[in-house]
Amino acid sequence: NAGVMQNPRHLVRRRGQEARLRCSPMKGHSHVYWYRQLPEEGLKFMVYLQKENIIDESGMPKERFSAEFPKEGPSILRIQQVVRGDSAAYFCASSPLAGPYEQYFGPGTRLTVT
Amino acid sequence: AQKVTQAQTEISVVEKEDVTLDCVYETRDTTYYLFWYKQPPSGELVFLIRRNSFDEQNEISGRYSWNFQKSTSSFNFTITASQVVDSAVYFCALSEGVLNTGFQKLVFGTGTRLLVSP
């Protein structure tokens, strides 16, 4: 039973390029959460999605960041025109239902902006 | 706003010592959930425990135990007879607004780095 999959595990981008981070939730999970972990900090909530819907994006920067979770395929976190401050680990989590269920985390994508 | 404080930035112990990681939280919700996650050097997040606000019973799982005290808003984590493999960053987290929104977003503390030396 595969866990949450994220790819790539490591991503290097130059300033101004686009970064696309992918997350495949656990089988049977239709709720996806994205968190960002800046160096030496805890994780911070970015966005919560269900299939084809963004439910809460209150933690997402207003510009350059977007997320989607299409009917088919993985959830995508997209960062346009990356800047050095975007360097962080981005974690995806999934749960089977909304509500107070365990969120199972993927291994994270470590984005480095040079 | 909800907040989780892990005042201990780093703790170093020698193998077989017991160690307690502190977690203090703030919330206005009457129903909430608390979590502990482990982040080993490899970087992934490993779920350890979830506790709801109505259940103040302490929990023990092998060498791990958790002490939840609503009166002091604390959810501390103790590792008994620590081992080198316990070396990791440990995060305490609080779920926010579940009853209002129908879903939870986790608010994390800044983590405690535990170093266990042989």
Side-chain angles (χ1 to χ4, degrees), chain A residues 1-2 25-31 94-97:
Chain A
N1 190 14
M26 284 182 72
K27 189 176 180 180
H29 289 194
S30 58
H31 301 260
S94 73
S95 65
L97 298 167

Side-chain angles (χ1 to χ4, degrees), chain A residues 33 35 58 99-101 103 110, chain B residues 33 37 43 50 102 104-106:
Chain A
Y33 307 77
Y35 293 82
S58 58
Y101 297 94
Q103 293 182 14
R110 275 140 189 89
Chain B
Y33 296 80
Y37 285 87
R50 179 188 69 161
Q104 63 181 349
K105 49 189 179 186
L106 298 180

Side-chain angles (χ1 to χ4, degrees), chain A residues 77-91:
Chain A
L77 180 67
R78 183 180 174 210
I79 311 172
Q80 296 178 292
Q81 300 175 316
V82 296
V83 301
R84 288 231 172 96
D86 297 333
S87 295
Y90 292 83
F91 288 90

Side-chain angles (χ1 to χ4, degrees), chain A residues 28-82:
Chain A
H29 289 194
S30 58
H31 301 260
V32 166
Y33 307 77
W34 285 94
Y35 293 82
R36 176 165 68 173
Q37 182 180 28
L38 294 170
E40 304 302 321
E41 292 188 15
L43 283 74
K44 294 210 176 351
F45 169 82
M46 298 181 74
V47 62
Y48 162 54
L49 310 101
Q50 295 177 17
K51 283 284 187 181
E52 299 185 277
N53 286 304
I54 297 175
I55 307 300
D56 185 324
E57 54 183 348
S58 58
M60 197 105 97
K62 294 285 186 284
E63 296 177 355
R64 302 187 297 106
F65 284 71
S66 62
E68 63 177 15
F69 189 16
K71 188 175 179 182
E72 300 291 338
S75 175
I76 307 283
L77 180 67
R78 183 180 174 210
I79 311 172
Q80 296 178 292
Q81 300 175 316
V82 296

Side-chain angles (χ1 to χ4, degrees), chain B residues 27-40:
Chain B
T27 180
R28 290 181 183 170
D29 288 354
T30 53
T31 300
Y32 52 89
Y33 296 80
L34 294 160
F35 302 77
W36 276 94
Y37 285 87
K38 174 183 179 180
Q39 187 176 42

